[in-house]
Short mmCIF file of all heavy atoms in Angstrom, two decimals:
data_model
loop_
_atom_site.label_atom_id
_atom_site.label_comp_id
_atom_site.label_asym_id
_atom_site.label_seq_id
_atom_site.Cartn_x
_atom_site.Cartn_y
_atom_site.Cartn_z
N MET A 164 19.95 -25.10 -7.49
CA MET A 164 19.91 -23.67 -7.76
C MET A 164 21.31 -23.06 -7.68
O MET A 164 22.17 -23.54 -6.95
CB MET A 164 19.04 -22.94 -6.75
CG MET A 164 17.56 -23.04 -6.97
SD MET A 164 16.71 -22.01 -5.75
CE MET A 164 15.70 -21.08 -6.82
N ASN A 165 21.46 -22.02 -8.36
CA ASN A 165 22.70 -21.29 -8.39
C ASN A 165 22.89 -20.57 -7.04
O ASN A 165 21.97 -20.03 -6.47
CB ASN A 165 22.64 -20.29 -9.54
CG ASN A 165 23.95 -19.59 -9.75
OD1 ASN A 165 24.85 -19.64 -8.92
ND2 ASN A 165 24.05 -18.93 -10.89
N LYS A 166 24.09 -20.54 -6.51
CA LYS A 166 24.38 -19.88 -5.23
C LYS A 166 24.04 -18.39 -5.29
O LYS A 166 23.59 -17.81 -4.31
CB LYS A 166 25.84 -20.07 -4.84
CG LYS A 166 26.16 -21.46 -4.39
CD LYS A 166 27.60 -21.53 -3.94
CE LYS A 166 27.92 -22.93 -3.46
NZ LYS A 166 29.30 -23.02 -2.98
N ARG A 167 24.22 -17.78 -6.44
CA ARG A 167 23.92 -16.35 -6.60
C ARG A 167 22.42 -16.10 -6.46
O ARG A 167 22.01 -15.14 -5.80
CB ARG A 167 24.43 -15.86 -7.95
CG ARG A 167 24.14 -14.40 -8.18
CD ARG A 167 24.68 -13.92 -9.48
NE ARG A 167 26.08 -13.56 -9.26
CZ ARG A 167 26.90 -13.16 -10.19
NH1 ARG A 167 26.52 -13.11 -11.44
NH2 ARG A 167 28.14 -12.83 -9.91
N ILE A 168 21.60 -16.96 -7.02
CA ILE A 168 20.15 -16.82 -6.93
C ILE A 168 19.69 -17.03 -5.48
O ILE A 168 18.87 -16.28 -4.96
CB ILE A 168 19.44 -17.81 -7.89
CG1 ILE A 168 19.74 -17.43 -9.34
CG2 ILE A 168 17.94 -17.82 -7.63
CD1 ILE A 168 19.22 -18.43 -10.35
N ILE A 169 20.24 -18.04 -4.83
CA ILE A 169 19.88 -18.29 -3.43
C ILE A 169 20.26 -17.10 -2.56
O ILE A 169 19.49 -16.66 -1.71
CB ILE A 169 20.57 -19.58 -2.92
CG1 ILE A 169 19.98 -20.80 -3.64
CG2 ILE A 169 20.39 -19.73 -1.41
CD1 ILE A 169 20.71 -22.09 -3.36
N SER A 170 21.44 -16.55 -2.78
CA SER A 170 21.88 -15.38 -2.02
C SER A 170 20.95 -14.19 -2.26
O SER A 170 20.59 -13.47 -1.33
CB SER A 170 23.31 -15.04 -2.42
OG SER A 170 23.72 -13.86 -1.78
N TRP A 171 20.56 -13.96 -3.50
CA TRP A 171 19.68 -12.85 -3.85
C TRP A 171 18.31 -13.02 -3.18
O TRP A 171 17.77 -12.08 -2.63
CB TRP A 171 19.52 -12.79 -5.37
CG TRP A 171 18.67 -11.63 -5.82
CD1 TRP A 171 19.07 -10.35 -5.98
CD2 TRP A 171 17.29 -11.67 -6.12
NE1 TRP A 171 18.01 -9.57 -6.39
CE2 TRP A 171 16.90 -10.37 -6.48
CE3 TRP A 171 16.34 -12.68 -6.15
CZ2 TRP A 171 15.60 -10.05 -6.83
CZ3 TRP A 171 15.04 -12.35 -6.50
CH2 TRP A 171 14.68 -11.05 -6.84
N VAL A 172 17.76 -14.25 -3.22
CA VAL A 172 16.46 -14.52 -2.61
C VAL A 172 16.53 -14.30 -1.09
O VAL A 172 15.64 -13.68 -0.50
CB VAL A 172 15.97 -15.94 -2.94
CG1 VAL A 172 14.77 -16.33 -2.10
CG2 VAL A 172 15.64 -16.06 -4.42
N LEU A 173 17.57 -14.77 -0.45
CA LEU A 173 17.72 -14.58 1.00
C LEU A 173 17.85 -13.10 1.35
O LEU A 173 17.28 -12.63 2.33
CB LEU A 173 18.92 -15.36 1.52
CG LEU A 173 18.75 -16.88 1.58
CD1 LEU A 173 20.06 -17.54 1.99
CD2 LEU A 173 17.63 -17.26 2.52
N THR A 174 18.57 -12.37 0.55
CA THR A 174 18.70 -10.92 0.77
C THR A 174 17.35 -10.23 0.64
O THR A 174 17.00 -9.37 1.46
CB THR A 174 19.71 -10.31 -0.22
OG1 THR A 174 20.97 -10.97 -0.08
CG2 THR A 174 19.88 -8.82 0.01
N LEU A 175 16.59 -10.61 -0.36
CA LEU A 175 15.26 -10.03 -0.56
C LEU A 175 14.34 -10.34 0.62
O LEU A 175 13.65 -9.46 1.13
CB LEU A 175 14.66 -10.55 -1.87
CG LEU A 175 13.28 -10.04 -2.24
CD1 LEU A 175 13.32 -8.53 -2.46
CD2 LEU A 175 12.78 -10.75 -3.47
N VAL A 176 14.35 -11.58 1.07
CA VAL A 176 13.50 -11.98 2.21
C VAL A 176 13.89 -11.21 3.47
O VAL A 176 13.03 -10.73 4.22
CB VAL A 176 13.60 -13.51 2.43
CG1 VAL A 176 12.96 -13.91 3.75
CG2 VAL A 176 12.94 -14.24 1.29
N MET A 177 15.16 -11.06 3.73
CA MET A 177 15.62 -10.33 4.92
C MET A 177 15.24 -8.86 4.84
O MET A 177 14.81 -8.26 5.84
CB MET A 177 17.14 -10.47 5.07
CG MET A 177 17.58 -11.86 5.43
SD MET A 177 16.93 -12.41 7.01
CE MET A 177 17.77 -11.33 8.11
N THR A 178 15.35 -8.25 3.67
CA THR A 178 14.98 -6.85 3.50
C THR A 178 13.50 -6.65 3.75
O THR A 178 13.10 -5.72 4.46
CB THR A 178 15.35 -6.36 2.08
OG1 THR A 178 16.75 -6.55 1.88
CG2 THR A 178 14.99 -4.90 1.90
N ILE A 179 12.67 -7.51 3.20
CA ILE A 179 11.23 -7.42 3.40
C ILE A 179 10.89 -7.61 4.88
O ILE A 179 10.06 -6.89 5.44
CB ILE A 179 10.48 -8.44 2.52
CG1 ILE A 179 10.61 -8.02 1.06
CG2 ILE A 179 9.02 -8.56 2.92
CD1 ILE A 179 10.11 -9.06 0.08
N SER A 180 11.55 -8.53 5.55
CA SER A 180 11.31 -8.76 6.97
C SER A 180 11.66 -7.53 7.80
O SER A 180 10.91 -7.15 8.70
CB SER A 180 12.15 -9.95 7.46
OG SER A 180 11.77 -11.12 6.81
N LEU A 181 12.79 -6.91 7.50
CA LEU A 181 13.19 -5.71 8.25
C LEU A 181 12.22 -4.56 8.03
O LEU A 181 11.88 -3.83 8.96
CB LEU A 181 14.61 -5.30 7.87
CG LEU A 181 15.71 -6.24 8.35
CD1 LEU A 181 17.05 -5.82 7.75
CD2 LEU A 181 15.78 -6.24 9.86
N LEU A 182 11.77 -4.37 6.80
CA LEU A 182 10.82 -3.29 6.52
C LEU A 182 9.49 -3.54 7.21
O LEU A 182 8.86 -2.62 7.72
CB LEU A 182 10.63 -3.14 5.01
CG LEU A 182 11.83 -2.62 4.24
CD1 LEU A 182 11.56 -2.65 2.74
CD2 LEU A 182 12.19 -1.22 4.69
N SER A 183 9.04 -4.77 7.25
CA SER A 183 7.79 -5.11 7.92
C SER A 183 7.90 -4.85 9.42
O SER A 183 6.98 -4.32 10.03
CB SER A 183 7.43 -6.58 7.68
OG SER A 183 7.23 -6.83 6.32
N ALA A 184 9.02 -5.20 10.02
CA ALA A 184 9.21 -4.98 11.46
C ALA A 184 9.22 -3.49 11.77
O ALA A 184 8.67 -3.06 12.79
CB ALA A 184 10.51 -5.64 11.91
N ALA A 185 9.81 -2.67 10.90
CA ALA A 185 9.84 -1.23 11.12
C ALA A 185 8.43 -0.65 11.05
O ALA A 185 8.07 0.22 11.84
CB ALA A 185 10.75 -0.56 10.10
N ALA A 186 7.61 -1.13 10.13
CA ALA A 186 6.25 -0.64 10.00
C ALA A 186 5.42 -1.01 11.23
O ALA A 186 4.65 -0.19 11.75
CB ALA A 186 5.59 -1.20 8.74
N VAL A 187 5.58 -2.21 11.74
CA VAL A 187 4.86 -2.63 12.94
C VAL A 187 5.29 -1.79 14.13
O VAL A 187 4.46 -1.37 14.93
CB VAL A 187 5.09 -4.14 13.21
CG1 VAL A 187 4.56 -4.54 14.57
CG2 VAL A 187 4.43 -4.97 12.13
N SER A 188 6.57 -1.49 14.25
CA SER A 188 7.06 -0.67 15.35
C SER A 188 6.47 0.74 15.29
O SER A 188 6.14 1.33 16.31
CB SER A 188 8.58 -0.58 15.32
OG SER A 188 9.14 -1.85 15.54
N ALA A 189 6.33 1.28 14.10
CA ALA A 189 5.76 2.62 13.95
C ALA A 189 4.30 2.63 14.40
O ALA A 189 3.85 3.55 15.07
CB ALA A 189 5.87 3.08 12.50
N PHE A 190 3.54 1.59 14.07
CA PHE A 190 2.15 1.53 14.50
C PHE A 190 2.06 1.35 16.01
O PHE A 190 1.20 1.93 16.66
CB PHE A 190 1.40 0.40 13.80
CG PHE A 190 1.10 0.69 12.36
CD1 PHE A 190 1.50 -0.18 11.37
CD2 PHE A 190 0.41 1.84 12.00
CE1 PHE A 190 1.23 0.07 10.05
CE2 PHE A 190 0.13 2.11 10.68
CZ PHE A 190 0.54 1.23 9.70
N ALA A 191 2.94 0.58 16.60
CA ALA A 191 2.93 0.36 18.04
C ALA A 191 3.21 1.67 18.77
O ALA A 191 2.59 1.98 19.77
CB ALA A 191 3.94 -0.70 18.43
N ALA A 192 4.15 2.46 18.26
CA ALA A 192 4.46 3.75 18.88
C ALA A 192 3.27 4.69 18.78
O ALA A 192 3.01 5.46 19.70
CB ALA A 192 5.69 4.36 18.21
N GLU A 193 2.53 4.63 17.71
CA GLU A 193 1.38 5.49 17.53
C GLU A 193 0.29 5.18 18.56
O GLU A 193 -0.38 6.07 19.05
CB GLU A 193 0.82 5.31 16.12
CG GLU A 193 -0.24 6.31 15.75
CD GLU A 193 -0.64 6.17 14.30
OE1 GLU A 193 0.25 6.18 13.45
OE2 GLU A 193 -1.83 6.03 14.07
N GLU A 194 0.12 3.91 18.90
CA GLU A 194 -0.91 3.53 19.86
C GLU A 194 -0.58 4.00 21.27
O GLU A 194 -1.46 4.17 22.08
CB GLU A 194 -1.08 2.01 19.86
CG GLU A 194 -1.74 1.50 18.61
CD GLU A 194 -1.90 -0.01 18.64
OE1 GLU A 194 -1.94 -0.59 19.74
OE2 GLU A 194 -1.99 -0.59 17.56
N GLU A 195 0.70 4.23 21.57
CA GLU A 195 1.10 4.65 22.90
C GLU A 195 0.84 6.14 23.16
O GLU A 195 0.94 6.59 24.28
CB GLU A 195 2.58 4.35 23.12
CG GLU A 195 2.88 2.86 23.14
CD GLU A 195 4.35 2.58 23.21
OE1 GLU A 195 5.14 3.53 23.41
OE2 GLU A 195 4.73 1.42 23.05
N GLU A 196 0.50 6.89 22.13
CA GLU A 196 0.25 8.31 22.28
C GLU A 196 -0.93 8.52 23.23
O GLU A 196 -1.94 7.85 23.15
CB GLU A 196 -0.06 8.94 20.92
CG GLU A 196 -0.22 10.42 20.97
CD GLU A 196 -0.40 11.03 19.60
OE1 GLU A 196 -0.09 10.35 18.61
OE2 GLU A 196 -0.85 12.16 19.53
N LYS A 197 -0.78 9.48 24.13
CA LYS A 197 -1.84 9.76 25.09
C LYS A 197 -2.74 10.86 24.55
O LYS A 197 -2.28 11.89 24.09
CB LYS A 197 -1.25 10.17 26.43
CG LYS A 197 -0.49 9.05 27.08
CD LYS A 197 -0.14 9.39 28.49
CE LYS A 197 0.59 8.20 29.08
NZ LYS A 197 0.62 8.22 30.49
N TYR A 198 -4.03 10.59 24.60
CA TYR A 198 -5.02 11.56 24.15
C TYR A 198 -5.74 12.13 25.36
O TYR A 198 -5.87 11.46 26.38
CB TYR A 198 -6.05 10.90 23.24
CG TYR A 198 -5.47 10.35 21.96
CD1 TYR A 198 -5.27 8.98 21.79
CD2 TYR A 198 -5.11 11.21 20.94
CE1 TYR A 198 -4.74 8.49 20.62
CE2 TYR A 198 -4.57 10.71 19.76
CZ TYR A 198 -4.39 9.36 19.60
OH TYR A 198 -3.86 8.87 18.45
N GLY A 199 -6.22 13.34 25.21
CA GLY A 199 -7.07 13.91 26.24
C GLY A 199 -8.44 13.25 26.18
O GLY A 199 -8.74 12.47 25.28
N GLU A 200 -9.29 13.59 27.14
CA GLU A 200 -10.60 12.96 27.23
C GLU A 200 -11.70 13.91 26.76
O GLU A 200 -11.71 15.09 27.11
CB GLU A 200 -10.87 12.52 28.66
CG GLU A 200 -12.13 11.70 28.79
CD GLU A 200 -12.30 11.13 30.18
OE1 GLU A 200 -11.53 11.47 31.08
OE2 GLU A 200 -13.23 10.34 30.35
N VAL A 201 -12.63 13.37 25.99
CA VAL A 201 -13.79 14.11 25.52
C VAL A 201 -14.98 13.68 26.38
O VAL A 201 -15.25 12.49 26.52
CB VAL A 201 -14.08 13.82 24.03
CG1 VAL A 201 -15.31 14.58 23.57
CG2 VAL A 201 -12.88 14.15 23.18
N LYS A 202 -15.67 14.67 27.00
CA LYS A 202 -16.81 14.37 27.87
C LYS A 202 -18.00 15.25 27.50
O LYS A 202 -17.84 16.36 27.01
CB LYS A 202 -16.46 14.65 29.34
CG LYS A 202 -15.42 13.77 29.93
CD LYS A 202 -15.20 14.12 31.39
CE LYS A 202 -14.14 13.27 32.03
NZ LYS A 202 -13.94 13.63 33.45
N TYR A 203 -19.18 14.72 27.78
CA TYR A 203 -20.41 15.49 27.59
C TYR A 203 -20.85 16.00 28.96
O TYR A 203 -21.21 15.22 29.84
CB TYR A 203 -21.49 14.61 26.96
CG TYR A 203 -22.71 15.39 26.50
CD1 TYR A 203 -22.63 16.19 25.37
CD2 TYR A 203 -23.90 15.31 27.18
CE1 TYR A 203 -23.72 16.90 24.93
CE2 TYR A 203 -25.01 16.02 26.75
CZ TYR A 203 -24.91 16.81 25.62
OH TYR A 203 -26.00 17.52 25.20
N GLU A 204 -20.79 17.31 29.16
CA GLU A 204 -21.12 17.91 30.45
C GLU A 204 -22.02 19.12 30.24
O GLU A 204 -21.74 19.96 29.39
CB GLU A 204 -19.86 18.35 31.20
CG GLU A 204 -18.95 17.22 31.60
CD GLU A 204 -17.70 17.71 32.32
OE1 GLU A 204 -17.41 18.92 32.29
OE2 GLU A 204 -17.01 16.87 32.91
N ASN A 205 -23.06 19.23 31.03
CA ASN A 205 -23.96 20.39 31.01
C ASN A 205 -24.45 20.74 29.61
O ASN A 205 -24.49 21.89 29.21
CB ASN A 205 -23.29 21.60 31.66
CG ASN A 205 -22.88 21.34 33.09
OD1 ASN A 205 -23.60 20.67 33.84
ND2 ASN A 205 -21.72 21.83 33.47
N GLY A 206 -24.78 19.71 28.83
CA GLY A 206 -25.35 19.93 27.51
C GLY A 206 -24.37 20.26 26.40
O GLY A 206 -24.77 20.68 25.32
N LYS A 207 -23.07 20.10 26.66
CA LYS A 207 -22.08 20.36 25.59
C LYS A 207 -20.89 19.43 25.76
O LYS A 207 -20.63 18.90 26.83
CB LYS A 207 -21.64 21.82 25.58
CG LYS A 207 -20.92 22.26 26.81
CD LYS A 207 -20.51 23.72 26.72
CE LYS A 207 -19.75 24.12 27.98
NZ LYS A 207 -19.22 25.46 27.88
N TRP A 208 -20.16 19.25 24.67
CA TRP A 208 -18.96 18.43 24.68
C TRP A 208 -17.77 19.28 25.10
O TRP A 208 -17.59 20.40 24.63
CB TRP A 208 -18.70 17.82 23.30
CG TRP A 208 -19.68 16.76 22.97
CD1 TRP A 208 -20.81 16.90 22.22
CD2 TRP A 208 -19.65 15.40 23.39
NE1 TRP A 208 -21.48 15.70 22.14
CE2 TRP A 208 -20.78 14.76 22.86
CE3 TRP A 208 -18.78 14.66 24.16
CZ2 TRP A 208 -21.05 13.42 23.06
CZ3 TRP A 208 -19.04 13.33 24.37
CH2 TRP A 208 -20.17 12.72 23.83
N VAL A 209 -16.95 18.75 26.00
CA VAL A 209 -15.76 19.47 26.47
C VAL A 209 -14.55 18.55 26.36
O VAL A 209 -14.68 17.33 26.32
CB VAL A 209 -15.93 19.96 27.93
CG1 VAL A 209 -16.99 21.04 27.99
CG2 VAL A 209 -16.25 18.82 28.87
N TYR A 210 -13.39 19.15 26.33
CA TYR A 210 -12.13 18.41 26.19
C TYR A 210 -11.26 18.65 27.42
O TYR A 210 -11.06 19.80 27.84
CB TYR A 210 -11.37 18.86 24.94
CG TYR A 210 -9.99 18.26 24.83
CD1 TYR A 210 -9.82 16.97 24.36
CD2 TYR A 210 -8.88 18.98 25.24
CE1 TYR A 210 -8.55 16.40 24.29
CE2 TYR A 210 -7.61 18.42 25.16
CZ TYR A 210 -7.46 17.14 24.69
OH TYR A 210 -6.21 16.58 24.62
N TYR A 211 -10.74 17.57 27.98
CA TYR A 211 -9.78 17.64 29.08
C TYR A 211 -8.44 17.10 28.57
O TYR A 211 -8.38 16.02 27.98
CB TYR A 211 -10.25 16.79 30.27
CG TYR A 211 -11.42 17.40 31.01
CD1 TYR A 211 -12.72 17.12 30.64
CD2 TYR A 211 -11.21 18.26 32.09
CE1 TYR A 211 -13.79 17.68 31.31
CE2 TYR A 211 -12.27 18.83 32.76
CZ TYR A 211 -13.55 18.53 32.38
OH TYR A 211 -14.61 19.10 33.04
N ASP A 212 -7.36 17.85 28.81
CA ASP A 212 -6.05 17.40 28.34
C ASP A 212 -5.61 16.15 29.13
O ASP A 212 -6.27 15.77 30.10
CB ASP A 212 -5.02 18.52 28.41
CG ASP A 212 -4.67 18.96 29.83
OD1 ASP A 212 -4.97 18.24 30.79
OD2 ASP A 212 -4.07 20.04 29.97
N PRO A 213 -4.51 15.49 28.72
CA PRO A 213 -4.08 14.27 29.41
C PRO A 213 -3.79 14.45 30.91
O PRO A 213 -3.81 13.50 31.67
CB PRO A 213 -2.81 13.86 28.67
CG PRO A 213 -3.01 14.40 27.29
CD PRO A 213 -3.74 15.71 27.50
N ASP A 214 -3.55 15.69 31.34
CA ASP A 214 -3.33 15.96 32.76
C ASP A 214 -4.63 16.20 33.52
O ASP A 214 -4.62 16.46 34.72
CB ASP A 214 -2.41 17.17 32.93
CG ASP A 214 -1.02 16.92 32.38
OD1 ASP A 214 -0.55 15.76 32.46
OD2 ASP A 214 -0.40 17.86 31.86
N GLY A 215 -5.77 16.18 32.81
CA GLY A 215 -7.07 16.35 33.45
C GLY A 215 -7.55 17.79 33.54
O GLY A 215 -8.54 18.08 34.21
N LYS A 216 -6.90 18.72 32.84
CA LYS A 216 -7.29 20.14 32.88
C LYS A 216 -8.20 20.45 31.70
O LYS A 216 -7.94 20.05 30.57
CB LYS A 216 -6.05 21.03 32.82
CG LYS A 216 -5.14 20.85 34.01
CD LYS A 216 -3.88 21.68 33.87
CE LYS A 216 -2.93 21.39 35.01
NZ LYS A 216 -1.63 22.01 34.79
N LEU A 217 -9.26 21.18 31.96
CA LEU A 217 -10.20 21.60 30.92
C LEU A 217 -9.49 22.53 29.93
O LEU A 217 -8.79 23.45 30.33
CB LEU A 217 -11.39 22.33 31.55
CG LEU A 217 -12.46 22.85 30.59
CD1 LEU A 217 -13.13 21.71 29.86
CD2 LEU A 217 -13.48 23.66 31.35
N ASP A 218 -9.65 22.27 28.63
CA ASP A 218 -9.02 23.10 27.59
C ASP A 218 -10.07 23.46 26.55
O ASP A 218 -10.30 22.72 25.59
CB ASP A 218 -7.86 22.35 26.94
CG ASP A 218 -7.06 23.22 25.99
OD1 ASP A 218 -7.50 24.35 25.69
OD2 ASP A 218 -6.00 22.76 25.52
N PRO A 219 -10.73 24.61 26.70
CA PRO A 219 -11.80 24.99 25.78
C PRO A 219 -11.31 25.42 24.39
O PRO A 219 -12.12 25.54 23.47
CB PRO A 219 -12.48 26.16 26.49
CG PRO A 219 -11.42 26.74 27.37
CD PRO A 219 -10.55 25.59 27.78
N HIS A 220 -10.02 25.63 24.21
CA HIS A 220 -9.50 26.11 22.93
C HIS A 220 -8.76 25.03 22.14
O HIS A 220 -8.16 25.32 21.11
CB HIS A 220 -8.56 27.30 23.15
CG HIS A 220 -9.22 28.40 23.91
ND1 HIS A 220 -10.23 29.17 23.39
CD2 HIS A 220 -9.03 28.85 25.18
CE1 HIS A 220 -10.62 30.05 24.28
NE2 HIS A 220 -9.91 29.88 25.38
N TYR A 221 -8.79 23.80 22.60
CA TYR A 221 -8.05 22.70 21.97
C TYR A 221 -8.67 22.30 20.64
O TYR A 221 -9.88 22.23 20.50
CB TYR A 221 -8.03 21.49 22.91
CG TYR A 221 -7.37 20.27 22.31
CD1 TYR A 221 -6.00 20.16 22.23
CD2 TYR A 221 -8.13 19.22 21.81
CE1 TYR A 221 -5.38 19.05 21.69
CE2 TYR A 221 -7.53 18.10 21.26
CZ TYR A 221 -6.16 18.02 21.20
OH TYR A 221 -5.57 16.91 20.67
N THR A 222 -7.82 22.04 19.65
CA THR A 222 -8.23 21.46 18.38
C THR A 222 -7.29 20.29 18.10
O THR A 222 -6.09 20.46 18.08
CB THR A 222 -8.13 22.49 17.23
OG1 THR A 222 -9.00 23.58 17.52
CG2 THR A 222 -8.53 21.88 15.91
N GLY A 223 -7.88 19.11 17.93
CA GLY A 223 -7.07 17.92 17.68
C GLY A 223 -7.86 16.67 18.00
O GLY A 223 -9.08 16.66 17.89
N VAL A 224 -7.18 15.62 18.43
CA VAL A 224 -7.82 14.33 18.69
C VAL A 224 -8.01 14.15 20.18
O VAL A 224 -7.12 14.42 20.98
CB VAL A 224 -6.96 13.18 18.13
CG1 VAL A 224 -7.58 11.83 18.45
CG2 VAL A 224 -6.79 13.33 16.62
N GLY A 225 -9.20 13.69 20.55
CA GLY A 225 -9.52 13.36 21.93
C GLY A 225 -10.14 11.98 21.95
O GLY A 225 -10.53 11.42 20.92
N ALA A 226 -10.27 11.40 23.14
CA ALA A 226 -10.79 10.04 23.25
C ALA A 226 -11.83 9.94 24.36
O ALA A 226 -11.85 10.75 25.28
CB ALA A 226 -9.64 9.08 23.54
N ASN A 227 -12.69 8.95 24.23
CA ASN A 227 -13.58 8.55 25.32
C ASN A 227 -13.89 7.07 25.11
O ASN A 227 -13.27 6.42 24.27
CB ASN A 227 -14.84 9.42 25.39
CG ASN A 227 -15.73 9.35 24.18
OD1 ASN A 227 -15.65 8.44 23.37
ND2 ASN A 227 -16.60 10.34 24.03
N ALA A 228 -14.84 6.54 25.87
CA ALA A 228 -15.13 5.10 25.79
C ALA A 228 -15.61 4.67 24.41
O ALA A 228 -15.47 3.51 24.03
CB ALA A 228 -16.17 4.74 26.84
N ALA A 229 -16.15 5.59 23.63
CA ALA A 229 -16.66 5.27 22.29
C ALA A 229 -15.58 5.31 21.22
O ALA A 229 -15.83 4.92 20.08
CB ALA A 229 -17.79 6.22 21.92
N GLY A 230 -14.38 5.81 21.53
CA GLY A 230 -13.30 5.84 20.54
C GLY A 230 -12.58 7.17 20.49
O GLY A 230 -12.60 7.94 21.43
N LEU A 231 -11.94 7.43 19.33
CA LEU A 231 -11.20 8.67 19.12
C LEU A 231 -12.09 9.65 18.37
O LEU A 231 -12.84 9.27 17.47
CB LEU A 231 -9.93 8.40 18.31
CG LEU A 231 -8.88 7.53 18.98
CD1 LEU A 231 -7.73 7.27 18.03
CD2 LEU A 231 -8.38 8.16 20.25
N TRP A 232 -11.95 10.94 18.71
CA TRP A 232 -12.79 11.99 18.12
C TRP A 232 -11.93 13.18 17.76
O TRP A 232 -10.97 13.50 18.44
CB TRP A 232 -13.86 12.43 19.12
CG TRP A 232 -14.74 11.31 19.54
CD1 TRP A 232 -14.56 10.49 20.62
CD2 TRP A 232 -15.90 10.87 18.87
NE1 TRP A 232 -15.55 9.56 20.67
CE2 TRP A 232 -16.40 9.77 19.61
CE3 TRP A 232 -16.58 11.25 17.74
CZ2 TRP A 232 -17.53 9.08 19.23
CZ3 TRP A 232 -17.73 10.56 17.39
CH2 TRP A 232 -18.19 9.49 18.12
N PHE A 233 -12.32 13.87 16.68
CA PHE A 233 -11.66 15.13 16.32
C PHE A 233 -12.37 16.25 17.06
O PHE A 233 -13.60 16.37 16.99
CB PHE A 233 -11.70 15.39 14.82
CG PHE A 233 -11.00 16.67 14.45
CD1 PHE A 233 -9.61 16.72 14.45
CD2 PHE A 233 -11.71 17.81 14.17
CE1 PHE A 233 -8.96 17.91 14.15
CE2 PHE A 233 -11.06 19.00 13.86
CZ PHE A 233 -9.69 19.04 13.85
N VAL A 234 -11.62 17.03 17.80
CA VAL A 234 -12.17 18.13 18.59
C VAL A 234 -11.86 19.43 17.88
O VAL A 234 -10.73 19.72 17.52
CB VAL A 234 -11.53 18.12 20.01
CG1 VAL A 234 -12.08 19.27 20.84
CG2 VAL A 234 -11.76 16.79 20.70
N ASP A 235 -12.90 20.26 17.71
CA ASP A 235 -12.72 21.56 17.04
C ASP A 235 -13.37 22.64 17.87
O ASP A 235 -14.48 22.55 18.29
CB ASP A 235 -13.34 21.51 15.65
CG ASP A 235 -13.06 22.78 14.85
OD1 ASP A 235 -12.09 23.48 15.16
OD2 ASP A 235 -13.83 23.02 13.92
#
């Protein structure tokens, strides 16, 4: 093979590898985000922020043992 073609292929492989690593890092950072807790209490669903304080006006994502939930 021509040295120019080998160089081009190696450059392409390295670029793809770097882009893949950046995408994996972005997903890993997303998993580290802390969510508040969604609980069912006294016949209704309530949201507690990550510090454990009740927040009746929160809109966003909360979590419990069943997964992630949108709180409105």
